[in-house]
Amino acid sequence: EVQSRIGKRAVIIENAGTFRRTTKNKAYSLSKSIQREDFFRVVYVGSISRSRGLMEMVRTMGILNRKIAARFWLIGPANTNDLREAKQDYAWNYVDYLGRISQEKAFAYMIKSDAGLATILDVADHKNTSTNKIYEYQQFSLPFVASNFQKWIDQLEPVGSGIFVNPSNPDAIAHALYWIATNREDAIKMGRKGQNFILEEYNWEAESKKLLNLYSDLGK
């Protein structure tokens, strides 16, 4: 659709992630010092606010804990008022809020997690955004539960590395997480599919070739 508006010679360069080897190595090193209790571990990394699904994610943990023992690593800068409200919910007892930490350390917590959340709400232009958070989860073989935005589904559902749900529905989010928790072999395969997608298809090295080819064509 974008291509048709700006011409047939247009080339779409995706906002693919760049994962430096040194950053990844440091993340794996840091992960060794993170204690893994006997819980199903969920993680969210990014800006934290109501519009980013904070309340729904917290309530999801309360629902999930009716079936299995689970805890939630919540990582990133937070809206103060929204965070204060979230802490009033009983399900906050299942949340470990780590605040703003370095990228390497955030990646380390991903490495030690069982599932990643990217259930931002359908407000403003969220459904049209690029989902770098999911690419980070995929990089570290982490199966994810994400908002059922059509753009995300079209790009990532064929990969088979995550589950898409209504982000406004904590029951749906909890159900998806419960499936990941109780189907561990399949969940591991999902994580591997996501990592292969990043390593082999969707990365800046691959996207940059499109840009270089475009420059080359323009010079002809």
Side-chain angles (χ1 to χ4, degrees):
E1 181 183 350
V2 174
Q3 228 167 10
S4 64
R5 290 201 305 267
I6 60 180
K8 293 182 178 179
R9 294 192 66 191
V11 176
I12 305 300
I13 308 297
E14 298 285 355
N15 184 27
T18 301
F19 299 96
R20 297 179 179 176
R21 186 181 299 275
T22 53
T23 301
K24 289 169 57 179
N25 289 344
K26 188 171 182 181
Y28 278 105
S29 178
L30 288 170
S31 71
K32 296 176 183 177
S33 63
I34 298 174
Q35 184 177 359
R36 262 304 308 260
E37 311 92 332
D38 190 21
F39 296 113
F40 178 73
R41 265 293 178 184
V42 184
V43 67
Y44 169 90
V45 178
S47 297
I48 299 166
S49 65
R50 288 186 65 92
S51 68
R52 295 274 172 171
L54 172 60
M55 298 306 300
E56 288 76 12
M57 290 190 293
V58 172
R59 290 166 185 157
T60 290
M61 296 309 298
I63 296 168
L64 185 59
N65 270 278
R66 296 172 192 166
K67 296 183 176 181
I68 58 172
R71 294 199 65 83
F72 183 32
W73 276 321
L74 183 62
I75 301 171
N79 177 289
T80 303
N81 292 332
D82 293 348
L83 190 65
R84 185 183 301 117
E85 182 179 355
K87 289 180 178 179
Q88 301 305 310
D89 194 293
Y90 84 96
W92 187 261
N93 291 319
Y94 305 114
V95 179
D96 298 305
Y97 175 55
L98 304 180
R100 187 195 295 267
I101 58 179
S102 69
Q103 184 183 55
E104 293 90 346
K105 198 161 188 179
F107 286 167
Y109 280 98
M110 289 185 194
I111 292 167
K112 300 294 274 192
S113 297
D114 298 303
L117 283 183
T119 48
I120 66 176
L121 301 184
D122 185 9
V123 298
D125 66 341
H126 284 176
K127 65 182 179 182
N128 297 314
T129 59
S130 180
T131 175
N132 289 336
K133 193 186 326 298
I134 294 179
Y135 306 145
E136 292 172 351
Y137 295 155
Q138 289 176 315
Q139 170 66 25
F140 294 102
S141 302
L142 195 60
F144 62 83
V145 178
S147 305
N148 58 350
F149 299 154
Q150 195 59 51
K151 177 181 177 182
W152 295 9
I153 291 173
D154 289 345
Q155 182 182 24
L156 294 173
E157 190 171 52
V159 178
S161 59
I163 302 172
F164 297 90
V165 299
N166 180 348
S168 300
N169 187 339
D171 285 300
I173 302 171
H175 181 76
L177 289 173
Y178 182 72
W179 186 93
I180 291 173
T182 54
N183 293 271
R184 292 309 299 154
E185 288 188 12
D186 288 332
I188 289 171
K189 291 177 183 177
M190 289 172 69
R192 288 174 181 164
K193 288 178 181 178
Q195 188 177 58
N196 288 337
F197 173 67
I198 295 299
L199 294 177
E200 299 174 6
E201 298 181 45
Y202 196 80
N203 53 68
W204 176 243
E205 288 72 18
E207 291 301 307
S208 64
K209 290 178 182 177
K210 295 182 185 178
L211 188 59
L212 293 174
N213 289 337
L214 177 61
Y215 288 150
S216 177
D217 290 343
L218 290 174
K220 293 178 182 179

